[in-house]
Amino acid sequence: MNVQKHAWSKEDLARRLCHALDIARQALEHLAQEGYTDPEERGNSVRPEKLVSETAFFLLAASTAADCSEVRERIERVAQLLIPHARSERMLLGLCLHPALALDYAQAHICLTRLGFPDAGFDALLRQSAGSQARAGRERVPHRMLEQEWITAVWENPGPASHLRTPPAALDSVLNQPMDLLNGSREDIYAFTHALMYVRDFNIRPRRLPRRRAEILAEAEAALARCLDEQDYDLGGEVLLGWPLTGKSWSPASVFGFRVLAQVEDRAGFLPASSTRLARLAKLEGEARTCYLLATAYHTAYVMGLLCAAALQAGSAPPLKLPTGKSTAVQGSGTLVLRFLDADKNKDADARSGHWRGELEQLTYPERDAIAGLLLNIALRRKASRGEFDALRELLKLAYSCGLSDTPAASQAAEMLERLATYASITGAQKAAAKSRADVGAVGNPSIHVTREIRG
């Protein structure tokens, strides 16, 4: 990776990582034993196993920044809290009863082992379970297969290595196929970000990507635009990992995205999740308030920690200022795309007040031009999701005139319009044929005439 001049302060990145590690400690203290059950919104409930596994995953990623004494001390402290939960009777029984889920139950143990906290007894039972007849008796989608391959690699090959081949499951994952950037689901982006994390292993034992990183990151920019517009900072932070984990210099769009997340975290005191209802939080007190806040927000805090840990690796920090020197956009393109976004004030009223808009107001005009592609991705997604296809066509014309049309999202939008033209011709022909058959039937069918005469 090219070393960025005037990069983001390592002290600030370490501070944010330490904050996330402090939240991890609190989450373990309050939720690791029983988890959390939300009586009003079931989606907020957290199983103890989930929290334990995700905390161990976070600690392993944070260990890449352990040369910072404050980070190292917190990892040690949280690991000691985690050990009894990672190797609890619940986890041991899971190994015994569910061999197809052995690696899932053992993920925290395996991460702790790599961090320097082994346990021979747990390892012995894990080997028994992993060697049983039913060990492969669970169907998994590609990014979950990658997760299993990653856990196995961490367990069996904990040391550093270089020039590792692309894992087999990555070839079947979304990392090797273009995402649907206009109408895809949130789960598609989730699969993308997790596949990337498992393949790159937080640059501890990184394996080769199945496609050119430029292609992968071009799609990541479109996914980032959606996350920023929807204020989905949990997923947006994961998308931003694409730059430090692939060794690619931060693009203007990714720098802008990081700045938005950092500003939101500074204002709220933590990176908020969409599941945290502030009105409900205000009504809660004491332990109930603490548990609700931790259960709904810990994962997003971990994501910010993961991102800062990756950014703390050598040469991986984002620059303080948006790079503008390599922009291919026409001068003034940022302003033109923004005007297009703002044309429909009623429909976009909520989006106009999004956090990214506040950060945009701080940019110079050359910086706005540098993120014109990001603004275009936001506009394309909005128009396509609403079915405003005439506006989508006009937006593509604007993109072409501004030198912004050579992107995956713009290409997919053009393909969509071509398909819609074919659809219109087919349905138009079908309607014409149906009308013709109806006219012929009305003239040529005697029973119709007889019926009409009787009715008349």
Side-chain angles (χ1 to χ4, degrees), residues 32 35 46-54 90-91 104-105 108:
V46 178
R47 293 180 295 104
E49 297 90 343
K50 181 176 186 291
L51 173 67
V52 168
S53 293
E54 290 179 344
R90 182 198 300 265
M91 297 298 192
D104 301 88
Y105 280 104

Side-chain angles (χ1 to χ4, degrees), residues 241-252:
L241 281 166
W243 281 267
L245 292 189
T246 61
K248 182 71 172 176
S249 296
W250 291 73
S251 68

Side-chain angles (χ1 to χ4, degrees), residues 7 12-13 18 24 60 77 106 167 169 212-213 217 226 286 313 333 384 391 393 413 420 431:
D12 186 67
L13 293 171
C18 287
L60 184 58
R77 192 179 309 145
R212 292 173 56 244
R213 66 181 180 179
L217 292 180
R226 171 179 173 175
Q313 295 175 17
S333 57
R393 183 179 295 105
L420 286 168
K431 290 176 182 178

Side-chain angles (χ1 to χ4, degrees), residues 28 52 55-56 59 77-87 108 112:
L28 289 177
V52 168
T55 303
L59 291 184
R77 192 179 309 145
V78 176
Q80 293 296 340
L81 283 174
L82 182 63
I83 287 171
H85 300 291
R87 292 157 178 160
L112 284 167

Side-chain angles (χ1 to χ4, degrees), residues 263-331:
Q263 287 294 327
V264 171
E265 181 183 43
D266 289 343
R267 290 170 188 166
F270 63 98
L271 193 61
S274 57
S275 57
T276 305
R277 305 284 183 253
L278 296 181
R280 183 177 171 195
L281 180 65
K283 298 177 182 178
L284 299 173
E285 297 179 350
E287 183 71 6
R289 176 186 173 87
T290 299
C291 289
Y292 173 77
L293 182 58
L294 288 170
T296 56
Y298 84 89
H299 188 271
T300 310
Y302 284 13
V303 168
M304 192 64 179
L306 294 174
L307 183 55
C308 290
L312 279 165
Q313 295 175 17
S316 297
L320 278 174
K321 294 185 177 181
L322 270 68
T324 59
K326 296 183 179 180
S327 176
T328 58
V330 172
Q331 185 176 0

Side-chain angles (χ1 to χ4, degrees), residues 251-253 255-256 259 319-325 363 367-368 370-371:
S251 68
V255 175
F256 178 77
R259 284 171 56 167
L320 278 174
K321 294 185 177 181
L322 270 68
T324 59
L363 300 184
E367 288 174 328
R368 293 188 184 194
I371 64 163

Side-chain angles (χ1 to χ4, degrees), residues 90-156:
R90 182 198 300 265
M91 297 298 192
L92 289 166
L93 188 58
L95 292 182
C96 294
L97 300 181
H98 306 286
L101 299 175
L103 293 175
D104 301 88
Y105 280 104
Q107 177 177 315
H109 156 75
I110 291 170
C111 290
L112 284 167
T113 299
R114 184 191 259 189
L115 288 169
F117 303 96
D119 186 292
F122 196 102
D123 230 34
L125 181 58
L126 173 57
R127 292 195 180 281
Q128 274 188 286
S129 187
S132 66
Q133 296 178 44
R135 65 186 180 278
R138 172 65 65 98
E139 285 284 345
R140 289 180 170 87
V141 294
H143 79 279
R144 290 301 182 192
M145 286 297 297
L146 268 172
E147 181 182 37
Q148 295 288 298
E149 291 180 6
W150 172 77
I151 298 172
T152 301
V154 173
W155 182 34
E156 295 179 346

Side-chain angles (χ1 to χ4, degrees), residues 208-229:
R208 292 180 180 175
L209 296 166
R211 276 193 295 164
R212 292 173 56 244
R213 66 181 180 179
E215 296 175 356
I216 292 173
L217 292 180
E219 293 178 21
E221 285 203 2
L224 174 63
R226 171 179 173 175
C227 293
L228 292 179
D229 202 36

